Structure formats: structure tokens, C-alpha cells
Amino acid sequence: PVHNTPFSPRLATFVLQNLPEVVPEIIQGFLKHRTEYRAHLPGAGVFQCSITGLSFKVKSEVTITYRYATWTRHLSEADQEMWVPAGPLFRIEVQPGVVQAVHLPHFICLAEEVDTSLCFIAHFKSGQMTLERPSRLVAFSAVLENPSFSLLGVLWRRLRSTLNSLPMHSLVLIFQQLSAANTTLHLYLIPDDNSVKQAIEKQEMDWNSKLIPKPPPFSPLYFGCNYRVTSTKSVVIMPEAQLPFCYKSPKEQQLFLEIYISNMAGEIGLLMTDTRNDTVVWRASLRSGDINLPACASKSLSGAAFMKKHKTKLCSRMRQLPTILLHLRDANVINSDEEEEVQGQDTSQRRNQVLLELAEKKGLEAQEQLYQILQKKDPFLITDLE
């Protein structure tokens, strides 16, 4: 069933919203793989979760609990023929009547000409899917006013003629396998969906990999199309040099290319081209500074893996906290509110613990930054722990 709440393309505004951020508490469920987020919103206003991009407009103070769910578990095969997931699926719990609007993240590029009438919000209750039209669309989210909650996410109606012409925001993620011979990289091409990105980061962390941050593609990509990866120098790309761009659920194994570089001297350029017309859609340079050299790779952990392994000892032994916080501020890893939150704790051990948990919530890049700062500011501690 479709609830035809009024929606007009003229309500679509294509500006990036800048909303106050909240850092949610992370709750590890009794099932190890299930992570829940709990956000305490201090009063009336619109707030955005710093981890998931999910936003809420509320009329009073409230606590909201939410987690990612899996489209493939809830969309029937017939539904998957008709609908394309256009953002993460969320399970949201909150007391009724407090949330005036929810902003659900999507990765459709509205800067291109797209038919916004094909956008719907799926609502699953008791195994049944109902569809609601969003109240409005903004650059990275669909807004639903006066929502009721259970499972919610953004879908786009699949038209046979338009699947390859639906422009998507996307990400290229590159990881270096630290324990592999010479330089071995994994390259992923995914829609800009935090649930998928976080699932990949977790998997790569388990494989002892380090994220090498690179910019996203500079033009929208299209589901159903293949993108070829080439290099300016001789590298081995397995299993083949191209990736299909598609949506795979966070619970599924994501597709990636393995790139093997036998000699990382100098700089290597990577290019990605659309196989339909040979247009370059992404390029990046890999420099020796991006890469952990093989001599130290076997004994070196990625920043995130190091923090996880030594968290207890770092809580009691990390020193020079004001300097570390200053560097994290300069690198835009933390903001002034978060710095105050850390400094406001009553013991040095608790301050360290709050900082480590904050870096953990912000993901692999933040943990890598903190690790690099510690290497510069307290190399003896790092060496001792390693």
C-alpha cells in the first residue's frame, strides 16, 4: 500500500544541511555483530547523528535508540525487482509523539535531473511493507514529517529504462593489508551508505588492514554499470580490472579488487573509468607516505587495531592530553564540545577513556589520526606497547 501524502518536486531542495551533531552512545548487543546507537537529544531542535547521518526534529528532550537493519532480509524477491535501496534501512525506537520529523539518509544525486516522484520511504511493520511519500527531499536525506517508527528507509522505484540512468553518490575505499607481502591493497566501490562503509571497515580491521583515505568519485555513478580500474605503473589487479557498481547489503561480502604492487618506489596513479564511454570518474595518487612499508608491516598494527588491542593500557598510561586534543582539533577529528567533554572528566584515566571511545565512535580514520599523533608525541609508549 502507498500512502499518498502530498509531495511535489518543487519541495525538493538540493542544499547540504548543516545540522547540530550529536555523538550517540554505542551499545554492543548480546549478539556480537549487532551494534545499537543511543542518542540523547537535549531539547527541541533538529539534530544529526555523527555516525549514521540520521537526523531528527524533536519538540522536547528525548532519548532515541536505533540500529542498521538489512534490506535483503525484509524486501521480498518481487519487491527487489521493483525497488532499489537508496539509503540505509534503520530500526528506530522512541516514545511516540516527540519526533516531529525524521531525515533518512539517501545516496541519490539530486544535482542531476532525476524523477523525484519515484522516491518513497519504506515502512515495515509486522512483516508488511507500506510506502509513504517523503514530505520533502534534500541533498542527502528524505524528510518524513510526523513519522511513526519501526523499520524505515529510502527506496527508489526501479524502472527498466532508467536503472542505468539513476545517478548515485559513491565512495572509493582503499585498504592496505598490513600482514600481506609487499603492498597489497583492497579497493571497494560502494554507494555512499554508512551502513555498508562501516561493515567494510569492521571486516578490514579484522583482517589487520589500514584505511588509506582518498576522495570519492567526482561525478555520480550508476547502478548496473561497470567501472574499470587502471594504474599509471605496472600493478597486478585481481580477479579482473573492473567492478560492477551495485548495492550489496552490509551483511553480505562486498565486492573488491585486490591490487598488488611489487615495488612502491615513487608515486602510483589510479584511475577509474566508466566502461560505457571511457570517461574518467575518479583518480587518486598513492604515495609512499600513504603506505606502511613491508619491513615494519608484519609487526605494525593499523591505528584502529592498535587502539583496540591496547585500550586498557592506553587509559592508564596516555600522557600530554591537552597537546593531543589540540592536534585532534587542528586535524578536525574532534570539535570544541567534544574537547570539553573529555577535559571535564574527573580523573586522567577517565579522560583518556572518553577520548579513546570518542575516536572509536568516529571510525577508522579518527583512530588512525590519534595513533599518528601518539607516535609523534609519545613514541616510547607506542614502542613499549608494540
Side-chain angles (χ1 to χ4, degrees):
V2 177
H3 297 301
N4 282 311
T5 49
F7 172 73
S8 152
R10 68 186 171 77
L11 289 174
T13 51
F14 310 139
V15 293
L16 177 60
Q17 299 184 107
N18 190 13
L19 301 174
E21 278 201 343
V22 288
V23 179
E25 179 188 354
I26 296 178
I27 307 155
Q28 213 62 51
F30 65 95
L31 298 172
K32 197 180 171 193
H33 60 273
R34 180 181 289 176
T35 301
E36 279 197 342
Y37 304 99
R38 183 188 291 145
H40 180 73
L41 310 185
V46 186
F47 301 91
Q48 183 169 47
C49 169
S50 63
I51 297 176
T52 63
L54 190 60
S55 304
F56 300 94
K57 180 183 181 184
V58 296
K59 60 185 180 187
S60 60
E61 180 179 358
V62 70
T63 297
I64 305 178
T65 305
Y66 45 95
R67 62 178 168 84
Y68 291 122
T70 309
W71 282 112
T72 43
R73 229 182 113 190
H74 298 281
L75 276 181
S76 67
E77 283 188 27
D79 286 334
Q80 288 176 49
E81 290 290 310
M82 194 181 294
W83 297 98
V84 184
L89 180 63
F90 293 94
R91 182 178 293 281
I92 303 169
E93 294 172 20
V94 62
Q95 68 187 75
V98 180
V99 178
Q100 295 170 304
V102 60
H103 299 231
L104 296 159
H106 72 73
F107 45 72
I108 305 299
C109 179
L110 300 181
E112 305 286 307
E113 282 192 25
V114 292
D115 183 354
T116 53
S117 69
L118 300 176
C119 177
F120 288 84
I121 291 174
H123 192 143
F124 295 91
K125 236 175 185 172
S126 310
Q128 297 295 309
M129 179 173 80
T130 57
L131 296 163
E132 299 181 63
R133 289 195 179 275
S135 311
R136 65 184 188 278
L137 276 178
V138 293
F140 294 99
S141 61
V143 183
L144 183 63
E145 291 173 352
N146 303 313
S148 59
F149 289 108
S150 56
L151 283 163
L152 289 175
V154 182
L155 285 178
W156 214 270
R157 185 181 279 281
R158 184 195 292 265
L159 298 179
R160 290 274 172 231
S161 59
T162 61
L163 181 59
N164 286 3
S165 59
L166 190 56
M168 315 271 185
H169 294 292
S170 59
L171 298 173
V172 174
L173 302 180
I174 302 177
F175 293 86
Q176 181 193 358
Q177 281 219 282
L178 295 176
S179 49
N182 289 24
T183 301
T184 302
L185 307 175
H186 292 168
L187 183 147
Y188 297 81
L189 177 62
I190 59 168
D192 187 358
D193 179 322
N194 273 345
S195 64
V196 176
K197 180 173 181 268
Q198 286 169 28
I200 291 171
E201 286 183 340
K202 184 178 184 311
Q203 173 72 84
E204 287 287 345
M205 199 169 113
D206 291 344
W207 290 343
N208 189 23
S209 300
K210 166 195 163 183
L211 176 68
I212 302 172
K214 292 296 170 189
F218 38 72
S219 56
L221 304 189
Y222 299 85
F223 279 173
C225 295
N226 287 321
Y227 294 90
R228 184 183 298 110
V229 177
T230 53
S231 170
T232 55
K233 291 191 180 171
S234 178
V235 302
V236 178
I237 300 178
M238 300 285 287
E240 56 184 330
Q242 62 184 39
L243 275 169
F245 184 48
C246 59
Y247 184 89
K248 288 176 82 70
S249 149
K251 300 284 185 208
E252 297 177 84
Q253 175 61 57
Q254 303 293 321
L255 303 173
F256 64 86
L257 298 181
E258 185 173 87
I259 301 173
Y260 175 73
I261 304 168
S262 58
N263 179 14
M264 191 58 220
E267 189 174 297
I268 291 177
L270 293 176
L271 293 175
M272 188 179 289
T273 52
D274 187 329
T275 57
R276 295 173 303 173
N277 50 22
D278 279 338
T279 309
V280 175
V281 295
W282 173 84
R283 64 167 62 88
S285 289
L286 284 174
R287 303 170 187 89
S288 52
D290 291 329
I291 302 295
N292 276 47
L293 297 174
C296 59
S298 58
K299 62 186 179 190
S300 163
L301 292 170
S302 71
F306 178 87
M307 296 294 163
K308 187 176 178 183
K309 183 176 180 183
H310 300 295
K311 185 174 177 180
T312 307
K313 286 179 180 171
L314 285 167
C315 281
S316 57
R317 295 180 58 187
M318 206 159 58
R319 301 286 177 262
Q320 305 180 51
L321 194 66
T323 312
I324 292 168
L325 290 170
L326 186 65
H327 281 275
L328 290 171
R329 277 284 302 281
D330 288 345
N332 289 322
V333 176
I334 62 169
N335 60 36
S336 54
D337 290 344
E338 290 160 346
E339 184 180 9
E340 277 179 33
E341 185 193 350
V342 173
Q343 292 280 37
Q345 305 305 314
D346 51 3
T347 65
S348 63
Q349 188 157 340
R350 179 72 187 134
R351 285 191 285 274
N352 289 342
Q353 184 185 345
V354 170
L355 176 59
L356 291 169
E357 285 170 359
L358 195 58
E360 199 176 322
K361 286 174 186 174
K362 286 175 177 277
L364 293 184
E365 268 173 79
Q367 290 171 85
E368 188 62 41
Q369 290 263 29
L370 178 54
Y371 176 65
Q372 299 293 343
I373 291 164
L374 281 174
Q375 275 191 318
K376 285 179 192 154
K377 296 293 155 198
D378 202 344
F380 299 110
L381 172 62
I382 298 295
T383 308
D384 187 43
L385 293 176
E386 283 183 334

